[in-house]
Amino acid sequence: IDAYMQYWEQGGGLFLIGLSNQSLDLKNANTLFSAFNLTLNYDLIPPITIIVNGIASTTKISKMISHPVTDFIDYFDYNGCSLNYTDNAFELAWAEVFWTDLNGTIHKDNRTVLVGLENNEGGRLLATGSNFFVDNWALNDLYQSTQNWHLVLRALYWLVDILNN
């Protein structure tokens, strides 16, 4: 963790990718994420995953701020957990999650799914709670979005400071 922090503090780019607690030990993953004032949540987005022909269902993420990473992206695929962030980290994309309480009232929450962070030395970080938009199935258009590869490319270009707008 110290090596990652030092690399980022000296201007390096990092892409932290997590998953839900069903696939990953969030407590230990959060040891790394918390070094950057981020945490992975113990939730599921989408709340229910259906597997058809070996391919898991995803949620389409279309709620994004205008940023070099997300510009020109209509939506991307997501299956994992949400994140919390503090200090200088900023939300890039979020999911709208609907749930019903014990009284039958429907509620809507926004859950952060993609976070960015920059430092004064040029260090950049992206963090997410899903690998689904970067995996081989996403990059071969086997989920809902055909723009996953475009998002990954923009993310990597931003992390290495090739993409400024």
Side-chain angles (χ1 to χ4, degrees):
I1 292 174
D2 290 339
Y4 286 120
M5 284 297 298
Q6 183 179 15
Y7 174 74
W8 179 77
E9 288 169 350
Q10 294 174 353
L14 295 173
F15 198 171
L16 301 182
I17 300 174
L19 280 167
S20 71
N21 197 51
Q22 293 177 330
S23 302
L24 184 72
D25 177 0
L26 290 191
K27 180 181 176 190
N28 285 317
N30 277 331
T31 303
L32 171 60
F33 277 71
S34 66
F36 299 96
N37 298 311
L38 311 168
T39 54
L40 298 164
N41 291 319
Y42 289 83
D43 62 1
L44 297 171
I45 299 172
I48 298 172
T49 299
I50 300 168
I51 299 175
V52 177
N53 295 327
I55 300 174
S57 60
T58 60
T59 292
K60 291 168 35 173
I61 302 298
S62 60
K63 305 295 183 185
M64 298 171 259
I65 68 163
S66 178
H67 185 273
V69 172
T70 57
D71 286 345
F72 311 109
I73 307 295
D74 295 320
Y75 64 90
F76 62 95
D77 289 296
Y78 201 89
N79 187 314
C81 65
S82 64
L83 297 96
N84 291 323
Y85 62 95
T86 60
D87 296 332
N88 294 326
F90 52 92
E91 181 179 61
L92 289 167
W94 61 95
E96 291 180 333
V97 176
F98 296 89
W99 55 279
T100 305
D101 65 21
L102 295 175
N103 297 321
T105 304
I106 298 173
H107 302 271
K108 180 185 88 164
D109 291 331
N110 290 335
R111 306 272 173 90
T112 302
V113 297
L114 185 62
V115 174
L117 180 64
E118 296 181 77
N119 67 29
N120 293 334
E121 299 301 319
R124 292 180 172 181
L125 178 139
L126 288 174
T128 184
S130 174
N131 73 332
F132 275 64
F133 63 92
V134 301
D135 72 14
N136 59 324
W137 289 356
L139 301 181
N140 285 298
D141 297 335
L142 295 178
Y143 297 131
Q144 299 178 73
S145 177
T146 59
Q147 296 179 325
N148 292 308
W149 68 270
H150 193 76
L151 175 63
V152 171
L153 191 59
R154 294 187 68 80
L156 295 176
Y157 282 170
W158 181 76
L159 287 169
V160 298
D161 201 18
I162 292 174
L163 186 64
N164 294 316
N165 55 36

